[in-house]
Structures are given as structure tokens and as C-alpha cells.
């Protein structure tokens, strides 16, 4: 029944019964179960549906919980596919796949940086990841005397976390791509794939150019 709502959108109990060839009692039983699980919710239709006198029929729509159930099926398919890649092509093939998946980081970094010149490099990365469904943000880390010691790139959501739990190459490829576009080493501190609440990457502040100050010391 949830599959039918996913494919056809908001549906009345009558429409579901007709599509699935179920009796009204059977439809109600299934819907009550889905509502209890939090997979669907009943709403008033945006455009009232005519059914004679009385209030318009409620429509049932999938919730985020309901959609997550289908996302898990796609995760299972992705894991199976990567297992096949690993079995037939080895670890190198899995790493190549992981690198291709995060190619958007290097392909779009300059484009986003040019379009949003007010953003720092870390904030550009956050925008990139957010566009890809990661819900990312940047947190500045102050050091002594309020000098910045670096930033943290925080990804509140990871669309491949279930897959990355078995194939950490996906996380590793992300981290390596971030290092390349920034031109400095970064460190992954936490990942959703391994049970943390957020994926966190430490980005150190760029090294300061001390050549001029050293020259001044010598000349004085």
C-alpha cells in the first residue's frame, strides 16, 4: 500500500482500494497500521474531492519515515552492487567508484567559489555538500587570543551512510578530495556511517607566510 502511495502520490482510501482490489475494511486495516508506524499521515486534500454531502475525503501521504523505508531498499541495492564490484574488480575498483562519486567536489568547487565570492573555502565546500543532500555547515574553531586555529565542516546528513558503513572507501574519497581542493591536509574526526551523529572534518587554518617577517628581522 505504501508503494502505491509512493507511485501515485496522495491517495484516498477509496482510490487505494480500487487500485489494489481491496475491501474498505482491508484498506482501513492497512492504513491504520501504516499510520501507527508513522509511515503515512492523513491530510485534507488541497483541492476538496467531491463525494456528495459531508466533509471531503482525507488523503494519505507518505511521511519521511515512510520514504526512509524505500531509501533503505536502495541502500541494500547499492551495497549489493559494491560487493559485486569488490568481488570482481577488487579494492582498486571500489576506490575508483568512490573517487568518481565524489568527483563533484573538484568539478564544482571553482564554479561555486566564483558564484559566491563572500564564502570561505570551507563554506564553499559546505554549499557543495548541501547541494548534494548532506546538509552541511561550517563551525569556526577559535584558539588562544581569539586567533582561528581552523574550521570544522559538519555534515548533518549523509545520503550514503548505510553503504559507507561497509565500504569506508566512500568516506576516504571524500576526505581526500577535500584535501586536494583546499591544498592542505584535513582530518576526518567523525562519521555518521560509524555511529556518530554527524560527519565532522577538521580543516586547519592555512599556514601564514612568515618570509616577510623573517626578512624584516634580518634587515633590522
Amino acid at each position: 500500500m505504501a508503494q502505491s502511495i509512493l507511485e501515485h502520490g496522495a491517495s484516498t482510501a477509496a482510490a487505494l482500494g480500487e487500485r489494489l482490489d481491496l475491501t474498505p475494511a482491508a484498506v482501513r486495516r492497512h492504513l491504520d497500521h501504516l499510520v501507527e508506524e508513522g509511515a503515512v499521515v492523513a491530510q485534507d486534500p488541497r483541492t476538496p474531492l467531491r463525494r456528495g454531502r459531508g466533509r471531503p475525503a482525507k488523503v494519505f501521504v507518505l511521511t519521511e519515515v515512510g520514504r526512509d523505508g524505500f531509501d533503505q531498499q536502495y541502500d541494500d541495492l547499492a551495497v549489493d552492487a559494491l560487493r559485486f564490484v569488490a568481488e570482481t574488480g577488487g579494492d582498486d575498483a571500489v576506490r575508483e567508484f568512490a573517487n568518481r562519486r565524489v568527483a563533484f567536489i573538484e568539478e564544482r568547487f571553482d564554479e561555486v567559489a566564483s558564484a559566491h565570492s563572500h564564502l570561505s573555502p570551507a563554506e564553499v565546500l559546505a554549499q557543495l555538500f548541501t547541494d548534494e543532500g548532506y546538509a552541511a555547515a561550517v563551525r569556526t574553531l577559535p584558539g588562544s587570543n581569539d586567533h582561528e586555529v581552523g574550521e570544522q565542516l559538519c555534515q548533518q546528513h549523509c545520503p550514503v551512510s548505510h553503504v559507507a558503513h561497509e565500504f569506508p572507501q566512500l568516506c576516504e574519497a571524500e576526505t581526500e578530495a577535500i584535501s586536494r581542493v583546499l591544498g592542505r591536509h584535513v582530518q576526518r574526526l567523525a562519521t555518521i556511517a560509524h555511529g556518530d551523529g554527524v560527519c565532522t572534518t577538521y580543516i586547519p587554518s592555512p599556514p601564514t607566510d612568515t618570509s616577510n617577517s623573517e626578512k624584516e628581522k634580518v634587515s633590522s
Side-chain angles (χ1 to χ4, degrees):
M1 186 165 293
Q3 180 73 42
S4 181
I5 297 174
L6 177 70
E7 294 175 355
H8 297 275
S11 304
T12 63
L16 288 166
E18 183 177 348
R19 283 201 299 265
L20 301 174
D21 194 22
L22 295 173
T23 65
V27 171
R28 176 54 58 187
R29 186 167 59 252
H30 285 298
L31 285 174
D32 286 346
H33 178 67
L34 291 172
V35 169
E36 185 178 345
E37 287 185 333
V40 303
V41 63
Q43 297 180 347
D44 291 323
R46 292 183 179 179
T47 302
L49 302 172
R50 295 182 180 179
R51 63 168 189 174
R53 295 180 179 179
R55 299 177 62 184
K58 294 280 188 180
V59 295
F60 293 85
V61 298
L62 283 178
T63 64
E64 288 298 320
V65 172
R67 291 184 181 278
D68 285 346
F70 292 99
D71 290 342
Q72 182 65 52
Q73 295 176 18
Y74 291 120
D75 288 343
D76 292 342
L77 175 62
V79 169
D80 287 342
L82 275 179
R83 285 174 180 167
F84 176 79
V85 170
E87 291 171 3
T88 56
D91 187 62
D92 288 344
V94 175
R95 288 186 177 277
E96 177 62 24
F97 173 84
N99 288 335
R100 289 192 182 189
R101 194 195 171 278
V102 299
F104 71 90
I105 299 174
E106 293 173 273
E107 290 173 352
R108 296 193 55 226
F109 184 85
D110 289 340
E111 170 194 341
V112 174
S114 297
H116 304 278
S117 57
H118 62 288
L119 297 181
S120 70
E123 289 169 336
V124 171
L125 284 169
Q127 183 64 55
L128 276 173
F129 278 105
T130 297
D131 291 345
E132 295 292 325
Y134 288 78
V138 175
R139 186 162 69 94
T140 301
L141 302 175
S144 59
N145 299 322
D146 292 330
H147 291 303
E148 295 181 8
V149 297
E151 297 170 299
Q152 282 186 348
L153 176 64
C154 303
Q155 297 156 240
Q156 304 294 338
H157 175 67
C158 176
V160 297
S161 59
H162 291 94
V163 184
H165 179 74
E166 183 170 339
F167 293 95
Q169 295 95 326
L170 295 171
C171 298
E172 293 165 4
E174 273 184 23
T175 305
E176 291 166 2
I178 292 171
S179 291
R180 287 194 296 270
V181 296
L182 296 180
R184 57 187 183 273
H185 175 73
V186 302
Q187 183 179 2
R188 185 62 64 96
L189 302 177
T191 63
I192 296 173
H194 290 89
D196 300 301
V198 59
C199 294
T200 306
T201 304
Y202 171 62
I203 302 174
S205 296
T208 56
D209 185 3
T210 59
S211 58
N212 289 334
S213 59
E214 291 296 329
K215 291 179 180 178
E216 290 176 359
K217 290 180 181 180
V218 172
S219 60
S220 60

